[in-house]
């Protein structure tokens, strides 16, 4: 169509000015898209490491902080409380946990480790063995992957626990690496049976109770049921629901994502202003030409289209180049900030490129509306007289 | 073929037309109660000093402006009652414009300039007259078709402009000082082209200062202070 051809030729005639406007849009699109990709990758990388524990309610004694450091706690969660929790949790798994720290020795190596005491039948619910077996009796222990690496522990290795009345235990299983959790952190820990733990340290109350919820929708109901039972008169336990923690973290990251995208958006606005400027210059320079084409029978709407075409061409070129570059930009930003690019090639990241390009074209179009409207509504007689 | 026969319907009618421009310094009466008829096929020269209302008259005939009072009929249409879209369509289909400055579109080459009104009218090139035929009819040398206007002489540019004005086969051709920017020889040939178009039945209105140009016309309207004298 002739008006499109007109727009194209005018852009080619004023190629430098048009190029600058295109660069503006390109930068805007790259900024908004890379920021979007970065934000999304950030959210994905965080949620990937955390979602595995999203179905967990963690109950700790209200005063348990005072007892950290010792091998046992005196005011933990009693057997009676655990029974209450079991009743409140319905059919969901309830896992009471003993936890403490102690000195350990492997051969001549001496160190410290967190030691957890768990009912052997509960262990498969929480942890996964990569090597060896789950503990069955009170004599064996399982070790976390990081501690196994650090002390070069293998199946059958002997660990001496405690400094004064030391007890020797044998490694029967090595756990899969689990990452940071809200409940227990076994990567640097030793997992023993609850029976062994209570006998070794002479404790009967638990340090933590973990409830694994089968259906995520039940988590709020179970949580409030536990709180109602145990904290009715006074606060005896803290009930943490990992999903709420996760949601808090994710919403914080989503806000960061919106913020970073908004920064990108600002550069797109700047680009829009430059397109507006280029278009206004074009209208002023071509006033006489507009007068001519209007007088020989070009409709207002056709003049409008001619100038909008120009803005759209600039926007399309800028957005296409920007889309390609922002792929590279997103790659670079992810690599630098997250040290990984695995979150770039997922739909929720790639859609940012589409959004960025769409924003680029829309911005150009919006910037072109007023100049085009102005051109279309020039008085043909005055425009003809314009030199 | 004769210029204008008695008893035919006028193609242009001015009925007590007054045009007032409101300027900060006060109102300027550009046309003052002008009445006239132009019959199809007439060749009219409009003369008069600067400020006498020639351009205003031309703008009204060209449907670029509407009168303050009175009525202007172009091909029977009262232009004051028409919307901008309809006025634009009337200009496109029935009126050809030839300007003193030629006013070809610098972004388009010769053929594209001539085709432009065709494309406006039907959205493609294949309607009405053929651009090449019209270009030949106005006497532009072959081989210039793909040149841009800036590569042509003034006389050549004006021929292209006339070809552009003719391509939609209009009834009226309006020329505003068509030879004002040309030497006398090119000016004369341009007037000959216009005269030959008049021979083929086009109504031609020429605004000019030059009595030699006015001599080509069959009738001369002399304007002074917004009135026909």
């Amino acid at each position: 169509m002739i008006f499109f051809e007109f727009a194209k030729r005018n852009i080619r005639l004023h190629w430098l000015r048009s190029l600058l406007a295109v660069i503006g849009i390109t930068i805007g699109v790259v900024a908004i898209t890379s920021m979007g990709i970065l934000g999304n990758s950030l959210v994905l990388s965080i949620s990937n490491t955390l979602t595995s524990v999203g179905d967990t309610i963690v109950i700790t004694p209200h005063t348990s902080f005072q007892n950290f450091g010792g091998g046992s706690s005196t005011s933990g969660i009693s057997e009676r409380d655990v029974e209450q929790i079991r009743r409140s949790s319905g059919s969901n798994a309830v896992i009471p946990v003993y936890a403490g720290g102690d000195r350990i020795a492997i051969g001549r190596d001496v160190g410290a480790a967190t030691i957890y005491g768990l009912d052997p039948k509960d262990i498969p619910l929480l942890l996964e063995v990569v090597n060896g077996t789950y503990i069955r009796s009170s004599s064996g222990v399982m070790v976390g992957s990081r501690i196994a690496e650090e002390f070069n522990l293998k199946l059958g290795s002997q660990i001496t626990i405690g400094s004064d009345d030391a007890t020797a235990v044998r490694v029967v299983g090595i756990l899969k690496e689990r990452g940071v959790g809200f409940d227990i952190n076994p990567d640097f820990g030793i997992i023993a049976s609850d029976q062994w733990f209570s006998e070794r340290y002479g404790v009967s109350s638990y340090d933590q109770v973990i409830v694994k919820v089968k259906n995520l929708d039940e988590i709020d109901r179970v949580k409030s049921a536990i709180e109602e039972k145990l904290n009715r008169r006074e606060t005896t336990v803290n009930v943490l629901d990992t999903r709420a923690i996760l949601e808090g973290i994710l919403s914080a990251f989503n806000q960061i994502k919106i913020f970073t995208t908004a920064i990108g958006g600002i550069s797109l606005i700047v680009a829009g202003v430059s397109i507006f400027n280029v278009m206004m210059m074009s209208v002023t320079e071509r006033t006489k030409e507009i007068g001519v084409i209007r007088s020989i029978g070009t409709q207002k709407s056709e003049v409008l289209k001619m100038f909008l075409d120009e803005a759209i061409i600039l926007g399309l070129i800028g957005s296409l180049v920007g889309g390609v570059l922002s792929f590279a930009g997103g790659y670079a930003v992810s690599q630098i900030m997250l040290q990984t690019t695995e979150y770039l090639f997922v739909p929720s990241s790639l859609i940012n490129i589409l959004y960025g390009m769409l924003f680029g074209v829309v911005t150009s179009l919006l910037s072109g509306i007023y100049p085009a409207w102005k051109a279309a509504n020039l008085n043909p007689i005055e425009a003809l007289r314009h030199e | 073929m004769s210029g204008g026969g008695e008893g035919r319907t006028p193609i242009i009618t001015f009925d007590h037309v007054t045009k007032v421009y409101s300027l900060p310094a006060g109102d300027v009466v550009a046309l003052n109660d002008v009445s006239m008829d132009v019959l199809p096929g007439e060749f009219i020269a409009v003369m008069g000093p600067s400020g006498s209302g020639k351009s205003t008259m031309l703008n009204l005939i060209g449907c670029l402006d509407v009168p303050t009072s009175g009525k202007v009929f172009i091909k029977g249409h009262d232009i004051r009652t028409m919307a901008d879209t309809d006025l634009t369509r009337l200009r496109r289909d029935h009126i050809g414009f030839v300007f003193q400055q030629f006013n070809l579109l610098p972004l388009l080459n010769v053929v594209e300039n001539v085709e432009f009104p065709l494309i406006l009218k039907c959205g493609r090139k294949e309607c009405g007259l053929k651009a090449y035929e019209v270009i030949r009819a106005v006497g532009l040398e072959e081989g210039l078709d793909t040149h841009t206007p800036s590569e042509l002489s003034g006389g050549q540019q004006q021929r292209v402009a006339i070809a552009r004005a003719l391509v939609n086969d209009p009834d009226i051709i309006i020329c505003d000082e068509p030879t004002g920017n040309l030497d006398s020889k090119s000016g004369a040939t341009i007037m000959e082209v216009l005269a030959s178009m008049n021979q083929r039945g086009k109504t031609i209105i020429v605004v000019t200062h030059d009595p030699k140009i006015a001599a080509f016309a069959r009738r001369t309207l002399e304007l002074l202070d917004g009135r026909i004298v």
Side-chain angles (χ1 to χ4, degrees), chain B residues 86-137:
Chain B
D86 298 322
L87 288 174
T88 305
R89 203 174 296 131
L90 194 62
R91 288 200 295 273
R92 183 189 73 193
D93 298 346
H94 299 292
I95 299 168
F97 284 84
V98 178
F99 305 93
Q100 182 177 1
Q101 314 275 353
F102 323 132
N103 287 350
L104 297 175
L105 301 171
L107 291 172
L108 304 181
N109 67 27
V110 167
V111 178
E112 289 168 332
N113 260 288
V114 175
E115 280 171 350
F116 187 78
L118 279 182
I119 295 168
L120 289 181
K121 190 175 179 180
C122 6
R124 61 204 150 76
K125 299 165 188 172
E126 301 80 19
C127 73
L129 306 172
K130 296 275 183 293
Y132 287 98
E133 289 172 11
V134 182
I135 293 170
R136 293 291 93 80

Side-chain angles (χ1 to χ4, degrees), chain A residues 96-317:
Chain A
V97 179
Y98 290 116
D102 209 339
R103 297 177 64 80
I104 59 168
I106 297 104
R108 254 176 268 150
D109 286 336
V110 181
T114 312
I115 298 163
Y116 294 103
L118 286 162
D119 188 330
K121 71 179 193 314
D122 287 339
I123 295 175
L125 296 175
L126 279 183
L127 305 167
E128 215 175 303
V129 168
V130 283
N131 207 348
T133 58
Y134 288 104
I135 43 177
R136 272 179 233 101
S137 64
S138 62
S139 58
V141 296
M142 299 189 298
V143 292
S145 60
R146 308 292 293 273
I147 198 172
E149 216 171 279
E150 195 179 327
F151 291 100
N152 198 23
L153 294 170
K154 296 192 175 55
L155 293 182
S157 299
Q158 188 171 302
I159 305 173
T160 310
I161 295 179
S163 42
D164 306 331
D165 49 347
T167 337
V169 290
R170 203 162 282 283
V171 175
V172 298
I174 293 172
L175 296 169
K176 191 182 166 196
E177 182 162 351
R178 193 164 180 262
V180 179
F182 295 109
D183 44 6
I184 60 176
N185 291 297
D187 287 354
F188 276 107
I190 295 171
I191 312 294
S193 71
D194 52 345
Q195 196 191 342
W196 178 90
F197 193 100
S198 66
E199 277 167 15
R200 170 76 180 76
Y201 296 107
V203 290
S204 57
S205 61
Y206 295 100
D207 297 282
Q208 196 180 74
V209 177
I210 298 166
V211 181
K212 283 276 176 195
V213 181
K214 286 188 211 113
N215 184 348
L216 274 178
D217 298 333
E218 280 184 43
I219 204 160
D220 285 328
R221 195 185 53 73
V222 173
K223 187 184 166 196
S224 50
I226 293 169
E227 278 191 316
E228 205 176 301
K229 272 259 162 58
L230 274 73
N231 290 346
R232 195 167 23 177
R233 255 170 294 162
E234 53 173 333
T235 311
T236 57
V237 292
N238 296 324
V239 185
L240 278 180
D241 139 26
T242 52
R243 196 186 60 167
I245 299 171
L246 273 183
E247 276 170 1
I249 291 174
L250 285 181
S251 87
F253 274 101
N254 271 320
Q255 277 166 355
I256 292 173
K257 183 173 154 188
I258 290 168
F259 178 72
T260 53
T261 310
I263 291 175
I266 290 171
S267 58
L268 204 54
I269 291 174
V270 174
V273 171
S274 101
I275 291 236
F276 183 88
N277 196 20
V278 165
M279 297 294 296
M280 285 309 278
M281 266 156 87
S282 184
V283 171
T284 309
E285 282 175 358
R286 296 167 73 190
T287 298
K288 178 146 189 174
E289 200 180 320
I290 294 163
V292 173
I293 63 173
R294 286 280 286 130
S295 65
I296 65 176
T298 309
Q299 297 287 1
K300 282 181 181 181
S301 58
E302 291 166 328
V303 175
L304 189 82
K305 183 183 177 308
M306 183 170 114
F307 280 86
L308 282 184
D309 278 353
E310 200 172 319
I312 290 173
I313 291 173
L314 294 177
L316 269 181
I317 296 174

